Amino acid sequence: MSELAYKRTNVYETADKEKMEKIFAYAEGYRTFIDEAKTEREACVFVEEEAKKNGYKPFKFGMKLQAGDKVYYNNRGKNIFLIRVGNEDVGEYGVRVIASHIDSPRVDLKQVPLYEAEGIAFAKTHYYGGIRKYQWAAIPLALHGSVVKADGSKVEVKIGEDESDPVFYISDLLPHLAAKQNAKPLGEGLGGEDLNIWLGNIPYVAAEDDKDKTVKENLLHILNEKYGIKEEDFLSAELSLVPAFKARDIGFDRALMAAYGHDDRVCSYPAYTALFDETSEKHTVLVVLADKEEIGSEGNTGMQSVLLNDLIDEIARAFGASPAAVRANSKCLSADVNAGYDPNFRDVCEPLNSTYLSCGAGLTKFTGSRGKGGSNDASAEFVGEVRKMFSDEGVIWQTGELGRVDMGGGGTVAKFIAKMNIDTVDIGVPVISMHSPYEVISKADLYEAYRAFRAFIK
Ligand code: MN
Ligand code: MN
């Protein structure tokens, strides 16, 4: 093909032996993170530990920041900021921001969850984020979260991850009796109120008293023994069911990796490891790992909170710079996943403008739906600037939209950061089966996302 034409580059096709080894080694670090951190709370704990190991100190509002400082701010255990102060003037050059999210779609327990039906104890749920409900039945689920008791003390729950733990379960119909269900549209096969969690089947048998001889009563005794909690404590609890699967390689060549919650921890991991590994001290860098993206980035731990703005103000103040000038000169990579091209579902993809697995980090100029509605739509100038940063470092990247025009669409945190007068563009890792219990990515794309973030903060 002529040198004038554009063609995507396949990372594996062009990698030498040394690069192949780097790609596969980097994926092993990610495997540990994705298996340990299945909720935003667990991701915060994990990243805070990693930050401390890399010399980061807790940030306090009003503290004096200096060039070379490395600080983190753990916002309520659900959202974490990492800041490394650089040498260049923040008033003139702003802050390099990399933003991703650490929450993923899942099934949450309701606040009054427990009930019994025909000798089986169940929990009621309310799903979190955009799930296809039928995918969450008949798979092993683990229970993760926190319970705040009447005295204010907190109990952490994580059960179903250890091989010897029990797991939890949502049932589905047997094909023999599913004729009626099969006739429904796929999206209605299981309803929101059908996602009830199987919890137990043994009735409580007290020594002398059998008036409470129920499975639910037995369950309450087990919970009280194990966690010291009562039924009322669920009122102030956040408990989530997540797939109990561990990350596994896919296929004979191990090019791909399946896991729960690649969206968006597959971008969070390269964001914070790029910060730790990049030794250039020029730019002031802020990595934010946010909560609540899957439900609209709301709340005081989501990207729409004023906290990012407050932190940039603090950085400006520390150097006597105008906060407005710092924001105006800042640049942001909104690090989120895109839909990878899936040859099994060609009709929803537009082949020229899709991100392909193993063709590098996927840059998305605009998201949104129906005529780019609700999208940040990065400027050609900013895409050009980022493109140059990547080409200077030999980063392999591609571009793609989220599916065919008018097929659907989606959004990211990009627009909330752009609103602060910061140039922002979306970039991340292409994902197959997004929002399902077991999503798939390419290890090559994960590695190129890491290289892209390093190029951006170098
Ligand atoms: Mn996402
Ligand atoms: Mn998502």
Side-chain angles (χ1 to χ4, degrees):
M1 194 164 55
S2 127
E3 291 222 331
L4 297 175
Y6 168 70
K7 186 180 173 286
R8 281 182 181 72
T9 306
N10 183 292
V11 179
Y12 288 128
E13 199 180 298
T14 51
D16 58 14
K17 190 167 169 281
E18 191 193 339
K19 182 161 179 186
M20 287 297 273
E21 281 169 10
K22 282 185 182 161
I23 292 169
F24 280 80
Y26 185 74
E28 292 313 302
Y30 174 59
R31 189 192 304 278
T32 307
F33 172 64
I34 194 80
D35 282 344
E36 283 292 315
K38 289 191 173 181
T39 65
E40 60 278 3
R41 287 177 187 272
E42 290 164 0
C44 269
V45 170
F46 193 99
V47 174
E48 183 176 330
E49 274 313 304
E50 293 299 301
K52 284 182 190 160
K53 279 187 221 159
N54 281 276
Y56 282 69
K57 305 267 184 276
F59 170 85
K60 287 190 179 62
F61 279 99
M63 82 189 278
K64 260 278 153 227
L65 288 172
Q66 298 173 15
D69 279 357
K70 299 193 284 186
V71 293
Y72 68 87
Y73 186 77
N74 185 334
N75 176 21
R76 300 169 167 89
K78 294 174 152 203
N79 159 217
I80 189 163
F81 295 79
L82 305 166
I83 300 168
R84 194 185 64 206
V85 184
N87 297 324
E88 69 183 3
D89 183 338
V90 285
E92 199 173 335
Y93 296 101
V95 175
R96 295 283 162 104
V97 179
I98 306 175
S100 85
H101 67 93
I102 45 178
D103 62 317
S104 297
R106 61 184 184 228
V107 177
D108 287 344
L109 288 199
K110 291 190 184 188
Q111 299 324 123
V112 183
L114 305 181
Y115 71 101
E116 179 170 339
E118 283 83 39
I120 295 155
F122 288 101
K124 294 297 295 179
T125 65
H126 196 138
Y127 64 96
Y128 173 95
I131 65 166
R132 306 186 72 196
K133 300 177 195 84
Y134 73 91
Q135 294 180 334
W136 293 70
I139 61 167
L141 298 167
L143 185 66
H144 292 228
S146 305
V147 183
V148 177
K149 298 202 281 187
D151 65 2
S153 65
K154 192 157 83 173
V155 184
E156 301 295 343
V157 177
K158 187 174 187 175
I159 181 162
E161 295 295 342
D162 207 85
E163 284 300 313
S164 61
D165 283 351
V167 293
F168 303 93
Y169 191 73
I170 295 166
S171 57
D172 199 358
L173 267 177
L174 59 168
H176 318 66
L177 299 177
K180 232 169 95 185
Q181 188 196 38
N182 283 342
K184 288 183 186 179
L186 190 56
E188 292 167 20
L190 285 179
E193 295 291 353
D194 296 332
L195 303 180
N196 302 316
I197 308 297
W198 289 64
L199 293 178
N201 193 214
I202 300 177
Y204 183 65
V205 187
E208 319 245 319
D209 174 9
D210 31 291
K211 71 178 189 305
D212 288 324
K213 212 170 165 180
T214 67
V215 179
K216 184 184 157 187
E217 184 64 23
N218 194 40
L219 184 70
L220 289 171
H221 279 264
I222 293 171
L223 289 172
N224 190 258
E225 223 167 84
K226 192 166 165 58
Y227 299 109
I229 60 174
K230 296 181 186 171
E231 189 173 10
E232 195 181 346
D233 294 326
F234 283 100
L235 299 183
S236 49
E238 283 181 335
L239 292 166
S240 304
L241 277 308
V242 296
F245 317 132
K246 298 267 182 265
R248 300 291 290 265
D249 293 345
I250 294 279
F252 287 111
D253 61 10
R254 298 178 179 265
L256 312 178
M257 186 192 272
Y260 162 66
H262 281 317
D263 176 10
D264 185 32
R265 291 183 276 268
V266 76
C267 296
S268 305
Y269 182 77
Y272 78 76
T273 54
L275 175 63
F276 294 161
D277 295 348
E278 184 47 58
T279 49
S280 160
E281 288 166 358
K282 199 164 89 175
H283 304 298
T284 293
V285 181
L286 187 156
V287 170
V288 45
L289 308 180
D291 176 30
K292 292 199 165 35
E293 194 278 339
E294 297 295 355
I295 56 168
S297 298
E298 310 285 350
N300 59 7
T301 53
M303 199 58 89
Q304 292 201 66
S305 150
V306 297
L307 186 49
L308 174 59
N309 204 20
D310 287 347
L311 286 167
I312 289 179
D313 279 6
E314 288 277 305
I315 294 168
R317 230 171 275 139
F319 296 95
S322 145
V326 174
R327 283 193 299 272
N329 294 317
S330 291
K331 304 173 200 305
C332 173
L333 294 186
S334 162
D336 207 343
V337 297
N338 198 334
Y341 184 91
D342 185 342
N344 289 310
F345 299 98
R346 281 202 182 96
D347 55 329
V348 300
C349 303
E350 191 270 281
L352 283 178
N353 291 281
S354 294
T355 53
Y356 289 78
L357 256 61
S358 305
C359 288
L363 184 142
T364 305
K365 186 175 178 295
F366 51 85
T367 58
S369 52
R370 299 169 311 280
K372 307 189 183 182
S375 163
N376 162 51
D377 199 2
S379 69
E381 287 83 353
F382 187 52
V383 174
E385 201 179 329
V386 169
R387 181 181 158 199
K388 180 159 188 320
M389 290 177 196
F390 294 166
S391 93
D392 287 349
E393 296 299 315
V395 174
I396 301 177
W397 66 284
Q398 55 184 326
T399 194
E401 296 183 29
L402 188 64
R404 291 174 76 91
V405 176
D406 289 344
M407 188 56 75
T412 66
V413 300
K415 60 178 176 180
F416 306 123
I417 297 165
K419 223 185 221 177
M420 292 169 59
N421 193 27
I422 296 176
D423 274 322
T424 306
V425 68
D426 282 299
I427 182 161
V429 175
V431 172
I432 298 296
S433 306
M434 196 196 296
H435 287 200
S436 80
Y438 216 39
E439 303 172 323
V440 174
I441 57 108
S442 158
K443 293 175 185 176
D445 298 334
L446 167 67
Y447 186 64
E448 292 300 326
Y450 164 75
R451 295 187 64 233
F453 300 158
R454 281 190 68 159
F456 178 68
I457 64 176
K458 190 174 169 150

